[in-house]
Amino acid sequence: MKKLVTLLPCLLLVLLACGDDRSAQPSTDPGQSCVLDTPETPFTCMRNAISTQKDADYERSISETFVFSPTLADSLDGAFTGSPVYAGWNKTVEMQTLNLLYDDTSFTKVDWGAPTPLINKNTFVRWSVSYSLKTVTTAAPTDTVVYKGVAHIDVRLENGNWRVTFWDEQATVPGFSTWGYLRGVNRLRLMP
């Protein structure tokens, strides 16, 4: 009994020193941040953020060096005549236009199709993506609007996380505006 009494404080100290390190385990709770551990996970994180209309996981998925480039048709669209809506597009602009999208809609859903790697290196992947963004607007009368396009999306390994560094719109889909066009419309609203 005397040995047990002596060992008990030692055992207690060992248990306290070990602790309960739950932070090392990836989260499966949708309220927790997305883990960007593979070149594919930015698409999952952005899809989840868009479907919940919360920007945290989308923002985590976008690099601080993020750049967006529209299709030539979008950049020459008459709606943007005289306005440099696509100039200097960075992460800050991307997040501002995403939040306007959320403000204007009650439902958003993105489908990335089947992303195909065009370049696949250890720390860099360029994907060809045929995407579809479905929205339900809040303005009366409410309307369902679908945007479609083809983009090359670059992801890069940055400090242990795969993040989107470049979104280059490649092509439109007949009968649909691109998400890039929607970005331009929203950016125009942000300009003085």
Side-chain angles (χ1 to χ4, degrees), residues 14-30:
V14 168
L15 288 174
L16 287 173
C18 290
D20 183 11
D21 188 8
R22 294 178 192 197
S23 63
Q25 300 300 317
S27 173
T28 55
D29 179 355

Side-chain angles (χ1 to χ4, degrees), residues 129-140:
V129 178
S130 296
Y131 67 81
S132 172
L133 174 67
K134 182 178 182 180
T135 67
V136 177
T137 59
T138 55

Side-chain angles (χ1 to χ4, degrees), residues 22-23 47-48 90 106 150 152 161 169:
R22 294 178 192 197
S23 63
R47 183 187 66 231
N48 294 344
N90 58 24
S106 60
V150 178
H152 290 171
N161 292 296
E169 291 277 356

Side-chain angles (χ1 to χ4, degrees), residues 57-109:
D57 281 342
Y58 193 99
E59 184 174 10
R60 270 185 213 92
S61 302
I62 301 294
S63 172
E64 291 299 323
T65 62
F66 178 78
V67 174
F68 171 76
S69 177
T71 63
L72 181 60
D74 287 347
S75 66
L76 297 176
D77 192 280
F80 309 131
T81 301
S83 297
V85 295
Y86 295 112
W89 199 286
N90 58 24
K91 181 176 183 173
T92 300
V93 174
E94 180 73 4
M95 296 312 298
Q96 289 171 337
T97 60
L98 179 71
N99 284 312
L100 281 178
L101 169 66
Y102 292 165
D103 290 346
D104 294 343
T105 57
S106 60
F107 173 86
T108 46
K109 180 180 180 182

